[in-house]
Amino acid sequence: MKKITLLIDDMSCASCAIGLEKRLLETAGIKEPAVNFATGKAYLQYDPAVLTEKAIIQKVEDAGFKGKIEGEESSVVTVILKIEGMSCASCARGLEGTMQNAPGVIEAVVNLASEKATVKYNKAETNRSALIRVVESAGYKVPPETGEDKAAGTDDGMPDRDQVVITRAARKMWLAASFAGIIMVLMMINMFVINIPGYFEISVILALPAIFIAGWDTHKGTLSALKRGSASMDTLVTLGSALPYFLSLLQFWFPLTTFIEMAASIMALHLVGRFLETKAKGRASQAIKKLLALEAKTARIIENGTEREIAIEELQPGQIMLIRPGEKIPTDGVVVGGQSSVDESMATGESLPVEKIEGSEVIGVTINRQGVLKVRASKVGKDTFLAQVIKLVATTQGSKVPIQEFADRVTGYFVPAVLVIALASFSSWLLFPGFHRSVIEFFNPPWANLGAPGLTLAFMAATAVLVISCPCALGLATPTALMVGSGLGAEKGILIRSGEAIQTMKDVKMIAFDKTGTLTKGKPQVTDIIAMNGFSEKELLAYAAGIEAASEHPIGAALVERAKVEGVLLEEVAGFSSITGQGVEGTVIGKVVVVGSRRLMEAQNIEIKNSTEHMNQLESEGKTAILVAVDGKLAGLVAAADTIKDEAIRAVTELEKMGLKTAMITGDNQATAEAIARQIGISKVLANVLPEGKVNEVKRLQDEFGMVAMVGDGINDAPALKQANVGIAIGTGTDIAIEAADITLVRGDLGSVVSAIKLSRATFQKIRQNYFWAWFYNCIAIPVAFFGLLHPIIGAGAMGLSSLNVVLNSLRLKKATL
């Protein structure tokens, strides 16, 4: 199965998204389609052996929408270059001719007045950098690209999609509002000042642009929905505007009440609401744009001892980049020269600069603060940290939380139900006019006109039901909150893989931590060396460090480091083997050496009784003690301690205050583990756990506490992270752990665990608030309209405000304290 994301146009409400999702789900070869109304995207998996991408696009078009694969670009693109150095028209014509003859250029237009060249080219044959070289070879200069240039034309040929939609919505809004406004002014003059000759005919003509030109996309959406055999919010607006308009035309032949003003105003207010909603949604989707804006445009590389600036797209792994103080690091890499501090706040949320020396890894888009750095590029393009973050944020924004599934099912029936209620309102007014008139008399709204014919009042009540109903608010409730929440998380170095993790996180009762590398720094130091049975401390260290030199265990590394400090010579090891979770053995200078736990010594039938008191004492101090045996005889024991991370105590204390229980899962023995847990403040200790046993320990915690979150950083933590209800990976850990996790803490700071929980709770709280207000609005507004207590024009305005309220409520999430 392959994954693709489609950009969907012409969706007007949540019902459209539900209908399209259903159509895709029914298509053979498509799996798990998720259509997101807020982002205007469809996320799905498909089987290439069953259908093609072109066939999927056709299915979207058959459903009445326009679809395009995200990232799909035309080979022909346009770029706008600013030109410096032209002095006359001849310069412009000459440069134009030069560019026209350049390889890959389809068309070039040079404007002397604006000092810009608009170039259309085939990106398979040339690129922006090559075009700049053509300009420079002709004797002119292209200054660095600015934000204005980027907006005017870019290499990818893709203008800001949100801005295009907002601009289009603004045009329609102003067109409808202008003509509807003129009609309302004429109506007031006709009613209160002087009778305007031909007022009705003038209104009919003026309403045409407002209802049928500005509102054409709305009516087109209604027709598309009809072809699908369904109804959408467009259907409600069409019935509330076009139908009153056509009924008003009967006045040419019959003395009926005119609804022209109402029809034009409803469409205008609908488009005002749509514009405000579109603009607010654009603000909600700023996260990815902000991330994209962080990308460097160029990189300065060193080749054959000389510096050269190239476009970031041309950068290759292995090339050496030169980054001066104050400059942005173009892409991920490793420092091969220089020393400096780097501001990583835009990537990790960490406010303090991080020291970088030779061998340190650096993240693209971070800022070099002090010294000059030489960095070997390790990842470029889609493999960079920033690209992965953007992908993760986009995936989260396209996911659904479980609570949304119920809302989606309800939304699918919402519009048909509204149509039935509107028809029921119309019929009720005709069947029980006395009852309805008494209701209006009791409440006496300022727009009440009980002198109007019963048919007129019935029609206005039904129209009010149609235009007051708002399925959009339901469709926007979850996606907008996810968009804002995931974006805020990315800014703070908290990457959430799926919307489901947000909902699950609020129900978590237990946070389980791996010890080494998560609660501790993962770099233990040797604290005690106790020799026994005639062995000296140096001999003991030589045997222990000698065998551990072939191991990758952190304590082994600590022993080797201590041996170097003590000047102990390490001999070669033969027959080395590792016993998972217990220790190591091998031959050093012809002697069989075993280094490990009590369990390993007992399995080898080595007498360790004399070491028990020392072991207990060391473990009570929170140290890890390991035994060393030579040729079957106990030579002594060494102890090491791993330093607890500075923020671990603070983070655990905060979690306990939040009502969460904490546990530590470690391979250490019970006494050592409990000593460390006491220092940190952890309430439950799971010791002597082998790597493969972590999954079972998580299962036991789930049986005891219910929802469990697991925090880890190592390869052996990945299965446990998957088993947990929510897996949280420390970002400084391995890629495998990060890939297995639902939430990644880029900074590696345990305080981010607290922030992640607060973010999840705040985001889900916004989702619940959005659903409450969406349901509350519809439950109150529809009955009010049913009884004729609401004028349709006010209803049209309220409908737009309902959607806007949901989006703005989600945007308030940006102010959440994490």
Side-chain angles (χ1 to χ4, degrees):
M1 302 292 286
K2 288 180 67 178
K3 290 183 178 181
I4 59 168
T5 300
L6 304 178
L7 303 175
I8 309 295
D9 285 338
D10 297 337
M11 287 195 299
S12 62
C13 68
S15 296
C16 298
I18 298 297
L20 177 58
E21 191 173 292
K22 185 178 179 183
R23 179 69 67 91
L24 292 172
L25 190 60
E26 292 169 349
T27 303
I30 291 180
K31 183 182 177 185
E32 298 178 1
V35 181
N36 190 315
F37 168 55
T39 59
K41 295 181 182 181
Y43 308 82
L44 56 90
Q45 297 182 52
Y46 76 99
D47 187 347
V50 177
L51 77 171
T52 63
E53 291 178 349
K54 187 177 180 181
I56 296 172
I57 296 294
Q58 188 60 51
K59 285 289 181 184
V60 173
E61 291 177 354
D62 290 344
F65 307 101
K66 291 179 183 176
K68 179 181 179 181
I69 296 171
E70 187 176 44
E72 185 179 63
E73 300 169 357
S74 168
S75 60
V76 177
V77 293
T78 301
V79 65
I80 297 176
L81 303 175
K82 293 194 76 171
I83 309 295
E84 291 181 355
M86 293 190 298
S87 59
C88 64
S90 296
C91 297
R93 282 198 302 270
L95 179 58
E96 194 172 281
T98 302
M99 300 199 76
Q100 286 277 24
N101 295 325
V105 174
I106 299 168
E107 182 183 10
V109 177
V110 179
N111 188 312
L112 176 65
S114 64
E115 295 189 318
K116 289 182 180 179
T118 304
V119 188
K120 187 183 292 183
Y121 65 93
N122 188 329
K123 69 176 184 179
E125 299 178 37
T126 189
N127 55 38
R128 189 177 190 275
S129 297
L131 295 174
I132 291 173
R133 287 196 288 271
V134 171
V135 173
E136 291 174 343
S137 68
Y140 305 103
K141 185 180 178 183
V142 178
E145 190 177 24
T146 65
E148 180 184 349
D149 301 327
K150 192 73 177 174
T154 65
D155 265 340
D156 62 13
M158 300 287 286
D160 188 315
R161 186 168 177 257
D162 282 337
Q163 191 55 52
V164 170
V165 174
I166 291 170
T167 302
R168 192 168 60 193
R171 287 195 190 117
K172 291 189 291 184
M173 174 190 71
W174 285 116
L175 178 61
S178 298
F179 282 94
I182 294 170
I183 292 172
M184 296 303 289
V185 170
L186 292 176
M187 181 189 74
M188 299 300 288
I189 294 172
N190 187 63
M191 288 177 63
F192 301 110
V193 181
I194 186 173
N195 285 330
I196 299 174
Y199 165 73
F200 175 69
E201 290 78 4
I202 294 171
S203 298
V204 168
I205 295 170
L206 290 174
L208 275 170
I211 298 172
F212 296 105
I213 297 178
W216 171 242
D217 286 340
T218 299
H219 305 313
K220 189 171 68 173
T222 299
L223 294 173
S224 298
L226 284 174
K227 287 179 183 177
R228 299 193 304 270
S230 63
S232 66
M233 195 184 80
D234 285 336
T235 308
L236 304 180
V237 177
T238 294
L239 289 174
S241 59
L243 184 59
Y245 179 86
F246 288 123
L247 285 175
S248 298
L249 297 182
L250 293 175
Q251 194 178 22
F252 283 115
W253 300 280
F254 306 101
L256 298 174
T257 303
T258 176
F259 300 105
I260 292 290
E261 301 90 352
M262 182 180 80
S265 298
I266 284 172
M267 180 56 76
L269 286 169
H270 165 66
L271 294 176
V272 169
R274 181 55 59 86
F275 166 72
L276 294 173
E277 175 193 319
T278 303
K279 196 168 183 180
K281 283 196 299 184
R283 287 169 58 199
S285 63
Q286 286 295 312
I288 292 179
K289 291 179 194 172
K290 284 183 179 178
L291 292 170
L292 286 169
L294 294 173
E295 289 181 318
K297 305 297 182 294
T298 61
R300 188 185 295 107
I301 62 171
I302 302 174
E303 285 184 339
N304 301 321
T306 61
E307 296 178 25
R308 183 164 69 91
E309 192 166 9
I310 61 172
I312 192 68
E313 294 83 6
E314 299 174 23
L315 185 66
Q316 299 295 319
Q319 290 184 309
I320 305 299
M321 304 178 291
L322 182 69
I323 301 101
R324 294 192 173 97
E327 292 183 341
K328 185 179 292 185
I329 297 174
T331 193
D332 300 358
V334 178
V335 177
V336 294
Q339 182 174 347
S340 181
S341 61
V342 174
D343 178 1
E344 296 186 340
S345 58
M346 63 285 296
T348 66
E350 173 58 66
S351 57
L352 296 176
V354 180
E355 292 299 318
K356 300 293 180 181
I357 58 174
E358 192 169 330
S360 298
E361 293 185 355
V362 292
I363 302 172
V365 314
T366 56
I367 305 296
N368 180 28
R369 284 300 180 202
Q370 294 175 337
V372 176
L373 289 177
K374 289 182 180 179
V375 177
R376 180 186 291 110
S378 58
K379 295 177 181 178
V380 297
K382 294 181 179 179
D383 297 325
T384 63
F385 169 81
L386 180 65
Q388 295 301 312
V389 170
I390 291 170
K391 181 181 177 183
L392 200 57
V393 173
T395 301
T396 303
Q397 292 184 350
S399 65
K400 290 187 177 183
V401 297
I403 192 176
Q404 189 179 351
E405 295 173 2
F406 172 73
D408 285 350
R409 286 197 299 271
V410 173
T411 305
Y413 298 105
F414 185 88
V415 175
V418 169
L419 292 173
V420 171
I421 294 170
L423 183 60
S425 176
F426 183 80
S427 303
S428 179
W429 268 88
L430 294 180
L431 294 173
F432 311 104
F435 170 73
H436 284 285
R437 286 177 183 274
S438 64
V439 171
I440 290 183
E441 285 177 355
F442 178 78
F443 288 99
N444 193 26
W447 50 82
N449 182 13
L450 294 176
L455 188 62
T456 298
L457 293 174
F459 183 74
M460 290 185 68
T463 303
V465 170
L466 292 172
V467 298
I468 194 71
S469 308
C470 190
C472 282
L474 293 169
L476 292 169
T478 295
T480 52
L482 282 181
M483 288 160 69
V484 177
S486 59
L488 179 61
E491 290 176 15
K492 302 292 185 182
I494 302 166
L495 305 181
I496 303 171
R497 183 172 294 277
S498 68
E500 186 176 356
I502 290 176
Q503 180 165 342
T504 306
M505 198 65 182
K506 74 177 180 65
D507 296 321
V508 164
K509 306 298 182 188
M510 160 65 73
I511 307 285
F513 293 89
D514 168 58
K515 189 202 81 172
T516 306
T518 302
L519 290 170
T520 64
K521 294 179 180 178
K523 293 182 179 179
Q525 294 181 327
V526 175
T527 57
D528 300 86
I529 301 174
I530 302 173
M532 296 180 176
N533 297 327
F535 288 90
S536 68
E537 288 188 4
K538 278 208 167 185
E539 286 178 317
L540 179 62
L541 185 59
Y543 284 121
I547 196 76
E548 288 285 6
S551 167
E552 295 181 355
H553 195 280
I555 292 180
L559 283 166
V560 173
E561 186 66 30
R562 179 64 177 266
K564 289 179 181 178
V565 171
E566 297 283 344
V568 175
L569 182 66
L570 302 181
E571 302 289 344
E572 286 191 15
V573 181
F576 176 83
S577 64
S578 175
I579 300 92
T580 304
Q582 297 185 50
V584 294
E585 63 179 332
T587 304
V588 178
I589 324 175
K591 295 183 181 293
V592 177
V593 180
V594 179
V595 180
S597 64
R598 285 189 180 97
R599 192 187 311 171
L600 179 59
M601 297 300 167
E602 289 167 358
Q604 300 266 6
N605 294 317
I606 296 170
E607 179 60 51
I608 59 170
K609 188 181 295 182
N610 294 339
S611 67
T612 303
E613 187 177 339
H614 293 293
M615 292 278 285
N616 293 340
Q617 176 62 33
L618 293 169
E619 288 168 357
S620 68
E621 296 170 2
K623 299 173 182 177
T624 299
I626 55 175
L627 298 163
V628 183
V630 179
D631 281 343
K633 183 179 179 182
L634 184 67
L637 65 161
V638 293
D642 191 0
T643 309
I644 295 170
K645 287 184 177 179
D646 297 334
E647 73 276 6
I649 298 173
R650 187 171 60 252
V652 169
T653 303
E654 185 71 20
L655 290 171
E656 294 276 351
K657 284 181 181 177
M658 293 168 68
L660 297 166
K661 294 295 182 182
T662 54
M664 182 177 74
I665 302 177
T666 178
D668 288 347
N669 62 72
Q670 192 71 34
T672 301
E674 286 181 354
I676 294 172
R678 279 195 301 271
Q679 293 178 49
I680 300 174
I682 285 177
S683 52
K684 190 173 182 66
V685 176
L686 302 170
N688 296 307
V689 180
L690 299 178
E692 61 271 21
K694 289 185 179 180
V695 171
N696 290 330
E697 294 301 332
V698 172
K699 287 180 180 177
R700 289 194 188 96
L701 290 174
Q702 287 170 326
D703 291 338
E704 183 178 352
F705 295 95
M707 293 286 190
V708 173
M710 171 74 186
V711 185
D713 75 320
I715 290 175
N716 57 10
D717 294 328
L721 293 175
K722 278 290 186 185
Q723 173 60 40
N725 300 97
V726 179
I728 303 175
I730 299 295
T732 49
T734 68
D735 290 342
I736 294 175
I738 293 170
E739 192 64 30
D742 300 298
I743 297 174
T744 300
L745 309 178
V746 178
R747 200 162 70 208
D749 184 346
L750 285 176
S752 296
V753 176
V754 178
S755 297
I757 294 170
K758 288 181 178 178
L759 175 63
S760 298
R761 289 180 175 181
T763 303
F764 192 76
Q765 184 180 23
K766 284 299 175 190
I767 292 173
R768 284 192 294 196
Q769 289 174 359
N770 287 346
Y771 277 127
F772 170 79
W773 288 116
W775 283 116
F776 179 79
Y777 165 82
N778 283 297
C779 289
I780 297 296
I782 293 175
V784 170
F786 183 95
F787 290 108
L789 298 172
L790 195 71
H791 195 283
I793 292 177
I794 296 174
M799 174 186 64
L801 290 175
S802 175
S803 295
L804 185 62
N805 176 57
V806 166
V807 180
L808 293 178
N809 187 50
S810 294
L811 285 169
R812 292 187 194 105
L813 184 59
K814 290 184 177 182
K815 298 179 180 179
T817 303
L818 302 182

